[in-house]
Amino acid sequence: MDMRFRLRYTDYNMKLKILKIFMVILAIAAPVPAYGRVTNDPVAAAMYNEMGVKAFKDGAMTAAASYLEQAYKLNPSDKVIKKNLAVAYAGQGTDEYNKRDLAAAQKYFETALKLDPENVNSLVMLGDIKYLSQKMDEAKALWEKVLKVAPDYKYRKNLEEKIAKLDKEAKVEKNYRSTGMDQFEIKYSREGARLSYNIRYYLQEAYRLLGQDFDYRPDYRITVLISDREQFETIGGW
């Protein structure tokens, strides 16, 4: 993280503290109804929303989500704030996905979709996570929803190709068996059962040696498919 980003992030935190102090002063100065404290405050919500949008544009995802969460608390009925918060969560999910923390990424995308069920980025990325987890039906449903809610999606052709490839894989893999071992989930056809034992050894050695060389060991399970030549060519279209 460079110093410029640190300064920006600190600046956002300072603004947040100042804004909170400002809001406290307003709360003290304003008359409070006898029945209790008013939590719905569209004016303050708009201020937090504006700061959240600015933080998001500057790439400060955590700060953006923090401001927008406060805006949403102060005005939960505002559709714009709701969508902006979903975008911020999707941005955080993308950051986690790029770090290969798929569990954290999934939580962000699912939270974003609760706020905005048509958030395209979340639908696409969550579909990718489901696909990597071999949850084919869920992945397909998410990707097909993108084509439905966003007919002009920029990467529509690419997504259609992914769905077509997924369909081929699903047909080939419907009778696959599965076995787990440490960091790997191995799926194989009946003919690949014998090979799966040898594959386990090579996978484990690869994980150990590459982990030493690069000082990196993924903490999520990696799915490995063992298929014969005909099935491999069917899936790949070669």
Side-chain angles (χ1 to χ4, degrees), residues 8-174:
R8 284 180 177 176
Y9 191 82
T10 302
D11 184 51
Y12 288 131
N13 287 336
M14 289 175 65
K15 286 181 180 178
L16 181 57
K17 291 177 182 177
I18 294 170
L19 186 56
K20 284 182 176 178
I21 293 171
F22 176 69
M23 294 309 301
V24 169
I25 293 172
L26 282 181
I28 294 173
V32 180
Y35 55 81
R37 183 180 176 185
V38 177
T39 56
N40 194 298
D41 190 336
V43 176
M47 293 171 61
Y48 277 111
N49 179 71
E50 184 178 349
M51 292 179 69
V53 172
K54 176 66 167 57
F56 182 86
K57 289 180 178 179
D58 287 345
M61 295 300 173
T62 302
S66 178
Y67 294 138
L68 290 166
E69 284 170 351
Q70 189 62 26
Y72 181 60
K73 288 178 183 177
L74 292 169
N75 192 4
S77 63
D78 191 299
K79 294 181 180 179
V80 173
I81 291 175
K82 205 171 181 180
K83 284 182 176 292
N84 285 346
L85 182 54
V87 170
Y89 284 144
Q92 287 183 301
T94 301
D95 286 347
E96 296 300 329
Y97 182 92
N98 291 336
K99 292 188 289 187
R100 305 306 288 174
D101 188 342
L102 302 186
Q106 180 171 331
K107 288 180 181 178
Y108 279 120
F109 293 133
E110 288 175 344
T111 303
L113 289 173
K114 287 179 181 177
L115 292 165
D116 180 10
E118 296 185 359
N119 184 278
V120 172
N121 287 342
S122 294
L123 290 170
V124 173
M125 299 297 288
L126 186 57
D128 286 350
I129 292 173
K130 296 296 184 180
Y131 175 79
L132 291 173
S133 304
Q134 289 294 289
K135 296 178 180 178
M136 302 297 202
D137 292 340
E138 293 180 43
K140 184 177 180 181
L142 288 162
W143 289 341
E144 287 183 335
K145 185 172 182 177
V146 174
L147 301 181
K148 183 178 179 180
V149 303
D152 57 347
Y153 178 54
K154 184 178 180 180
Y155 303 105
R156 183 183 181 89
K157 184 177 179 181
N158 177 262
L159 197 57
E160 289 174 337
E161 290 174 352
K162 288 170 73 172
I163 293 173
K165 182 174 181 290
L166 182 150
D167 285 337
K168 290 181 180 179
E169 292 178 3
K171 288 179 182 178
V172 170
E173 297 167 22
K174 64 181 180 180

